[in-house]
Amino acid sequence: MSRRRRIGLTGAVLAAFLAAMVATLVFGSDWRVYVRFAPALGVFVLGLLAAGATAVVIDVRGRITRARESARAEAAAEHHRFLRRLDHELKNPLTAMRLGLANLAAAGADPDPDGPLAGVGEQVARLARITGDLRKLADIESRPLERVAVDVAVLLDAAGETGRDLPGGADRRISVSVPRVPWPLPTLAGDPDLLELALENLVGNAVKYSDPGCAIELRAFAEDGYVVVEVADTGRGIRADELPTVWEELVRGSDARGTPGSGLGLALVQAVVLRHGGRTELRSMPESGTVVRLRLPTS
């Protein structure tokens, strides 16, 4: 409610009180007229008071909502700035370390493939992966979102092929299941490159955290204005106490130690889905497997 309307409402309430006082003075000696007039005046005054209180509550709620939205927007902007700064600060040192390692290797300083230099090289490569994924995450959160008609079945078929080409992918039983009759899945209005990135991360995780012979299923179906995409596997699974943090950045489960990764894969997936107005879910049981579900609006 505008300031002018609030002032007008306050004036109306004061006018009602003045009218009540005048009526008391004028009709005070005639109790019959007063009895007939006072209840109607009281209802009128109470109505104005109720309207004023409601307006105040609505105004306060609106201010709180706007403050929360502003705080969320500022937090998102600050997060984006942090990712950009981190990427900038890590890029040059990583380049220098890679160059130094390459010079040492060329000079034959440590020919042992399991020696100290090899270990340093692995850690530098891990930092490079983290830096690259941080850059991707910052780009996802800030880049303009392309909106074209996306065929989910085509994306899933491509993601399945990508999974089979990954190291160890040929040893997993990767299958794709989408409804094709009596009608196909509805298309999504989205960015095909970002959606492909999300699916590749999920398939990559399924291959990485499963053993040879495990099954990996990519499936999709329509549900209440959404296309639901699931990537399921019969891999290692995730402990129950670690499930609340799986979508956080740089978080890796205890069972993932020793397996190369940046800890940003699921954070990237969630960022992509949120940019498309969808939401993510994850269910998992240790030694049984994991199901990651993406709910993406069709419009």
Side-chain angles (χ1 to χ4, degrees), residues 2-69:
S2 66
R3 184 164 178 258
R4 181 178 298 177
R5 291 181 63 188
R6 289 198 298 272
I7 293 174
L9 184 58
T10 303
V13 173
L14 291 175
F17 275 114
L18 290 174
M21 293 176 63
V22 171
T24 302
L25 292 174
V26 173
F27 302 113
S29 59
D30 191 341
W31 64 271
R32 290 170 299 178
V33 176
Y34 180 74
V35 166
R36 295 177 60 186
F37 178 79
L41 181 61
V43 171
F44 176 69
V45 172
L46 288 175
L48 286 176
L49 289 174
T54 301
V56 170
V57 170
I58 293 174
D59 183 60
V60 170
R61 286 179 176 174
R63 288 174 181 268
I64 293 174
T65 300
R66 290 191 294 272
R68 286 176 177 171
E69 291 175 351

Side-chain angles (χ1 to χ4, degrees), residues 42-291:
V43 171
F44 176 69
V45 172
L46 288 175
L48 286 176
L49 289 174
T54 301
V56 170
V57 170
I58 293 174
D59 183 60
V60 170
R61 286 179 176 174
R63 288 174 181 268
I64 293 174
T65 300
R66 290 191 294 272
R68 286 176 177 171
E69 291 175 351
S70 176
R72 282 195 292 267
E74 178 57 30
E78 179 60 31
H79 181 248
H80 174 67
R81 288 193 291 269
F82 167 74
L83 293 179
R84 287 289 187 188
R85 286 197 302 270
L86 189 60
D87 174 40
H88 177 74
E89 294 297 329
L90 289 176
K91 188 183 302 180
N92 291 336
L94 280 172
T95 302
M97 285 188 285
R98 281 176 159 174
L99 181 60
L101 287 171
N103 290 336
L104 288 172
D110 186 11
D112 185 359
D114 298 323
L117 282 183
V120 173
E122 290 177 2
Q123 294 306 313
V124 170
R126 180 171 181 268
L127 285 174
R129 286 195 299 270
I130 292 174
T131 303
D133 284 347
L134 285 172
R135 190 180 306 119
K136 289 179 185 177
L137 187 58
D139 289 340
I140 289 170
E141 294 177 346
S142 61
R143 61 176 278 185
L145 191 66
E146 184 181 2
R147 291 284 186 179
V148 299
V150 178
D151 189 332
V152 177
V154 172
L155 285 181
L156 288 181
D157 287 335
E161 289 300 321
T162 298
R164 296 182 188 96
D165 292 336
L166 291 173
D171 298 327
R172 276 68 170 171
R173 294 179 286 116
I174 300 177
S175 62
V176 177
S177 174
V178 295
R180 303 184 188 276
V181 292
W183 44 76
L185 284 171
T187 59
L188 299 177
D191 190 313
D193 293 334
L194 290 184
L195 292 171
E196 182 180 2
L197 174 66
L199 289 174
E200 286 179 352
N201 272 278
L202 292 181
V203 174
N205 281 349
V207 171
K208 189 186 304 182
Y209 300 113
S210 63
D211 298 320
C214 285
I216 299 172
E217 291 186 0
L218 288 74
R219 52 199 186 220
F221 54 91
E223 182 180 80
D224 300 330
Y226 289 83
V227 170
V228 180
V229 178
E230 292 184 338
V231 178
D233 64 69
T234 57
R236 305 175 194 172
I238 303 169
R239 288 168 34 181
D241 61 325
E242 295 176 346
L243 288 175
T245 61
V246 294
W247 301 106
E248 295 180 9
E249 298 162 11
L250 301 175
V251 171
R252 305 194 74 202
S254 56
D255 292 338
R257 293 169 187 168
T259 303
S262 66
L264 287 165
L266 288 179
L268 285 169
V269 172
Q270 187 173 60
V272 170
V273 174
L274 290 177
R275 284 297 309 274
H276 285 81
R279 63 178 186 268
T280 56
E281 302 171 11
L282 186 146
R283 305 191 310 276
S284 187
M285 292 182 62
E287 306 304 325
S288 294
T290 301
V291 179

